[in-house]
Amino acid sequence: MQPADVSTASPPPGAAPDWIIPQDWSRYTGEEHATWDRLFERQAAQLQTRAAAGYLRGLDVLRLGHPGIPDFDVLSERLMDLTGWRVVAVPGLVPDEVFFRHLANRTFVAGRFIRRPDQLDYLEEPDVFHDVFGHVPLLADPVYADYLQAYGEGGLRSLGFDSLDHLARLYWYTVEFGLIREGGALKLFGAGIVSSHGESAFALDDASPNRLGFDLMRVMRTRYRIDDYQQTYFVIDSFEDLLRRTLETDFAPLYGELASLSDLAPETVLPGDRVIHRGTQAWAQSRARGAPNGG
Ligand code: HBI
Ligand code: FE
C-alpha cells in the first residue's frame, strides 16, 4: 500500500539513494527470531495442503524454515543461483518509482523489522515475515520471477499514464491476494494470504467471498479492501498464463479504455464473470454491522 505522501519523498537518513538499508541481521534479538519461528511453524503447517506447489517448493529450496529470521545475503545467494533475484532491506514503504525500478532489476525490497508478539495476526505495514515468508518463495519459480520483473517494467512505463490505481489492483489481486487452480483444486499464492493465518483459511474455505476467474481488465477495474479479508479473489490458471495474458500485453491502450470504464465495488459479480464461487458476503456484511469477528 502506498500513502500519497511517500510518493515524492527522498530516502531517510542512513538509506542509500535507492532506499536500501543494511539488514543488520546480527541485531535481531532472540525474541525476534522466536517470533519468526512461531509464525513460520504455524503457517508452514497450514499451507502444506493449501499453497501452490511452486510456493511450497520455494519454501523448501530456499530453506526458509526456522530457526530464525533469514539473513538476506544468504537468501539472496540461493535466489540468485535459481532465478537471478535478490532480497534487500528498505525502511518501510518506498515510492512507487523506486519500488518498480527495483522489481524491474530483479531486486525484491523487504521490511527488516518483525511484528511484536502481540501482533501475530494483524499489522498494517509489511514486516519481514510478510515480505520474506509471503513474497520470496515464489521468486524461486522461474515463471513467477519473470512475472514480477515484468510487473516492475510495466509499472515504470505506467508512470506517465495516471493509471497507477489500475496497475496497483493487478498487483493486489495477483501478487498479494491471488489464487491459482492446480489439478482441479484452488490453491493460495498471494503473499497477503499465505502470510496470514486467518486469511489462509478464509480465502479457500469460507462461503463469504467471491472466487472468480482472472480477467485482466476486470481486475484492474475492481477496488479492494485494505482493512479486512478480500470480498473477491481472482483465480489464475497458471503463472505462464498470467505472464502471457498480462504483462506481455502493451498496457497503453488498456489504460485509455480503463479511463472510460467505471470502477467496480469489491463484491461485484458481473454477468460475464467466470464464477467459481458466488460469495454470500456474510463476513463483510456482519463486519459492516459492527461485529468484531464476523459475528
Ligand atoms: N514499498 N516497501 C514497499 N513494499 C511494497 O509492496 C510497495 C512499496 N511501495 C509502493 C508499492 N508497494 C506499490 O507501488 C505497489 O504495490 C503497486
Ligand atoms: Fe506484500
Side-chain angles (χ1 to χ4, degrees), residues 83-166:
T83 57
W85 276 77
R86 66 178 179 139
V87 180
V88 299
V90 289
L93 289 171
V94 301
D96 293 321
E97 185 176 353
V98 174
F99 185 67
F100 293 147
R101 182 155 290 117
H102 279 307
L103 295 181
N105 288 312
R106 293 174 99 85
T107 299
F108 190 76
V109 298
R112 66 178 177 182
F113 77 98
I114 192 152
R115 65 197 73 183
R116 296 193 315 262
D118 61 313
Q119 299 174 309
L120 290 197
D121 292 312
Y122 181 77
L123 82 170
E124 272 173 26
E125 282 237 346
D127 72 341
V128 64
F129 187 75
H130 168 80
D131 277 334
V132 173
F133 182 90
H135 285 282
V136 171
L138 274 172
L139 293 174
D141 179 281
V143 179
Y144 185 91
D146 285 353
Y147 172 69
L148 205 58
Q149 177 186 4
Y151 180 85
E153 291 166 344
L156 288 175
R157 285 195 302 272
S158 80
L159 291 174
F161 284 95
D162 192 30
S163 207
L164 203 60
D165 288 354
H166 295 124

